[in-house]
Amino acid sequence: MTALELRHLSVTLRGRAVLRDVSLRVAPGELVGLIGPNGAGKTTLMRAALGLVPFEGESSLAAMPPATRARTAAWLPQAREIAWPVTVERLVMLGRLPHLAAGQRPTAQDRAAVDAALAATGLAQFRHRTATRLSGGEQARALIARALAQEAPLILADEPTAGLDPAHQIATMQRFRALADAGRAALVSIHDLGLAVRHCTRLVMLDAGRLVADGAPGRVMTPERLAQVFHVRGYFADTAEGPVFQSLDLLEKVE
Amino acid sequence: MTRLIAALAALVGALFLGSLTLGPAGIGPGESLRALVLGDAGPLTLVMREIRLPRAILAVLVGASLGLAGAAMQGYLRNPLAEPGLIGVSGSAALGAVIALQTGLAASLWFGLPLMALAGALAGVGLVLALAGPRGGSLTLILAGIAISALAGALTSLVLNLSPNPFAANEIMFWMMGSLADRSMTHVWIALPFTLLGWALLATLGRGLDALTLGEDAASALGVSLRRVRLTLVAGTASVVGAATAVAGAIGFVGLVVPHILRPLVGAQPSRLLPASALGGAALVLAADMAVRLILPARDLKLGVLTALVGAPIFLHLIYRTRKEMA
């Protein structure tokens, strides 16, 4: 059983190779953290996996018909777009679109999924508020709730914790981890290596469009790779509190 | 939501009856409606069936078309300032009509003008789609629309500029102001098929427009085909706006103001705005067309002039309100 399988995925945008020959499998039960410096190809990897950009190679998701894909994978883009001043409840209900036939009214099951997603993101008391008038972090949580309400076996999220306060960063990662523990799967790009190490079951490291490491957090976060890929020195330890990572110093000037 | 639709439908019904019973003949409402329905081959039945009925029907067709297309265009572009003329349909339809007037086709063939206007709309929208490309986003569509609108406007001015006949130029000017006066059932039969086709196309957009609230990427991932949404939007808008411009000339501000006014009443959800905006547009054009007959009955005040005169201040008020909300 795999939730997502990518084989030899390459993406070339405007003559530039953004992603080169990446192969990756995500199985149910995994929370895979996608890490790498800016421009490493994290977003492109996820968009290509969904078939949103032209690519070479194979993606199990992109091969599906759009309607099936929408019920198989939820996608949370990094751009937090809420175009109209709809209520939080209606925004989250948009996640149910793949489950509704054209013109069909939401069923009790759809409403239950929305309620659960609102509760999971701590937005239950905001449900009748106008989404566009919430703070940036609250909007981000409302959009996470939208993706959760889709109840897809796989969720792909592009920097879901950016702009959230520490409590909600942890809550978001714990929510994805709970989904994984319940037999679903998540692929999450993340810049906070401390959060990634602590909550992900597995890390995938990208650098300049190539997959450079794939495995348990402790095996991926070696001093050599941190130096080569991120140009930082860090502290990593398996403590009684679980794995801990803190980046410490720059090794050389970042261009 | 259903209450709002019912209220708007009742308003449209009342204004439709009002439009039917309003006219220079000065006949009581009961009498005129009886003549319309029963028909006694007398002059009153003729007035009702040949003059007032087509006028009221066209007001509904044109108004609903502009309101619906405006709501769809705003939903697709995720911009409350969008209006159906943005993709160049009304400009190119007007150019077709102007050519028909100038060449005398409109005078020699009774359906020459609307036919040429529809041909103009079709040519314009074909060019816009070719320019915007099959995969491009909403930005290329807007840019192509602006380019075609500008070109059609320039060509219309050129026709006026080179017109050797001042009467034709005069006629063109008046036609471009937009009006529903002196239309016949022929105009209804010309506009109806394109209008119904366009309504059917635009009515399917609700789900895609709702998903687009989250942006193009998220909408695609929700299973919405952006290509299909765009093609349906352009084809539907071209049909309804082309038909409306062909029979009524250019009537501005309806497609811009109506969705804007009704948006807060439907909770801002694009799919719910579509039917509400169609009914709202019909009500507004019916009311405006009654107003032009009441305000200056002897002077033939043009419908498009009135909608712009009323629409611009409403729009300014909306901008003011938006500004306060953003502060």
Side-chain angles (χ1 to χ4, degrees), chain B residues 6 18 36 40 54 57 64 116 126 132 198 251 255 309:
Chain B
L36 171 72
D40 54 2
I57 292 175
M116 280 295 285
I251 294 171
L309 273 176

Side-chain angles (χ1 to χ4, degrees), chain A residues 47 50 52 54 66-67 69-70 73 75 77 81-86 90-91 94-95 97-98 100-102 133 143 146 150, chain B residues 2 74-75 78-80 135 207 210-218 220-224 263 266-270 272 325:
Chain A
R47 294 189 71 219
L50 286 157
L52 299 176
R69 189 193 62 211
W75 166 229
E81 255 190 275
I82 305 175
W84 301 111
V86 293
R90 267 193 201 156
L91 184 81
L94 291 177
L97 272 183
L100 294 168
R133 294 203 190 113
L143 290 171
R146 192 283 298 170
Q150 208 166 329
Chain B
T2 24
Q74 292 185 1
R78 285 158 286 149
N79 190 328
R135 256 194 101 103
R207 182 187 171 85
D210 278 355
L212 273 169
T213 303
L214 298 165
E216 297 194 355
D217 233 33
S220 296
L222 281 170
V224 170
R263 181 165 293 116
V266 297
Q269 197 168 347
R272 296 179 176 210
E325 262 173 36

Side-chain angles (χ1 to χ4, degrees), chain B residues 97-133:
Chain B
V98 164
I99 291 173
L101 286 167
Q102 176 60 31
T103 54
L105 188 69
S108 59
L109 202 64
W110 53 265
F111 57 84
L113 191 151
L115 197 72
M116 280 295 285
L118 279 170
L122 201 69
V125 84
L127 272 173
V128 165
L129 279 179
L131 270 172

Side-chain angles (χ1 to χ4, degrees), chain B residues 220-238:
Chain B
S220 296
L222 281 170
V224 170
S225 162
L226 294 181
R227 276 182 74 171
R228 188 186 297 165
V229 166
R230 190 163 80 144
L231 200 63
T232 309
L233 173 86
V234 172
T237 304

Side-chain angles (χ1 to χ4, degrees), chain A residues 77-248:
Chain A
Q78 192 183 352
R80 286 159 186 173
E81 255 190 275
I82 305 175
W84 301 111
V86 293
T87 61
V88 171
E89 188 176 25
R90 267 193 201 156
L91 184 81
V92 175
M93 188 61 88
L94 291 177
R96 300 304 296 170
L97 272 183
H99 302 276
L100 294 168
Q104 191 194 334
R105 286 176 174 275
T107 62
Q109 197 190 344
D110 296 313
R111 267 182 238 107
V114 169
D115 289 346
L118 286 171
T121 46
L123 288 172
Q125 76 275 27
F126 289 108
R127 64 188 308 149
H128 298 298
R129 293 265 296 274
T130 301
T132 45
R133 294 203 190 113
L134 300 178
S135 77
E138 287 162 352
Q139 289 189 13
R141 279 154 55 202
L143 290 171
I144 292 171
R146 192 283 298 170
L148 293 176
Q150 208 166 329
E151 293 190 329
L154 171 68
I155 186 162
L156 295 103
D158 199 359
E159 300 205 24
T161 56
L164 298 187
D165 60 45
H168 285 109
Q169 287 189 350
I170 295 169
T172 300
M173 291 308 283
Q174 282 179 342
R175 168 59 31 195
F176 288 137
R177 182 61 183 262
L179 290 180
D181 291 344
R184 293 204 254 165
L187 178 63
V188 174
S189 84
I190 185 164
H191 274 302
D192 187 324
L193 300 177
L195 274 179
V197 160
R198 189 163 173 79
H199 298 282
C200 295
T201 59
R202 191 175 129 206
L203 292 182
V204 169
M205 192 188 279
L206 290 182
D207 185 30
R210 290 182 196 280
L211 193 152
V212 292
D214 179 353
R219 289 192 25 224
V220 169
M221 303 293 275
T222 60
E224 297 76 35
R225 286 207 192 91
L226 281 170
Q228 272 169 19
V229 175
F230 289 95
H231 310 294
V232 295
R233 192 168 63 82
Y235 167 84
F236 181 86
D238 242 329
T239 70
E241 294 270 349
V244 169
F245 177 83
Q246 173 66 49
S247 39
L248 300 171

Side-chain angles (χ1 to χ4, degrees), chain B residues 55-85:
Chain B
R55 185 167 188 162
I57 292 175
L58 284 175
V60 171
L61 291 184
V62 168
S65 293
L66 293 174
L68 180 62
M73 192 62 75
Q74 292 185 1
Y76 174 71
L77 296 176
R78 285 158 286 149
N79 190 328
L81 294 176
E83 55 117 11

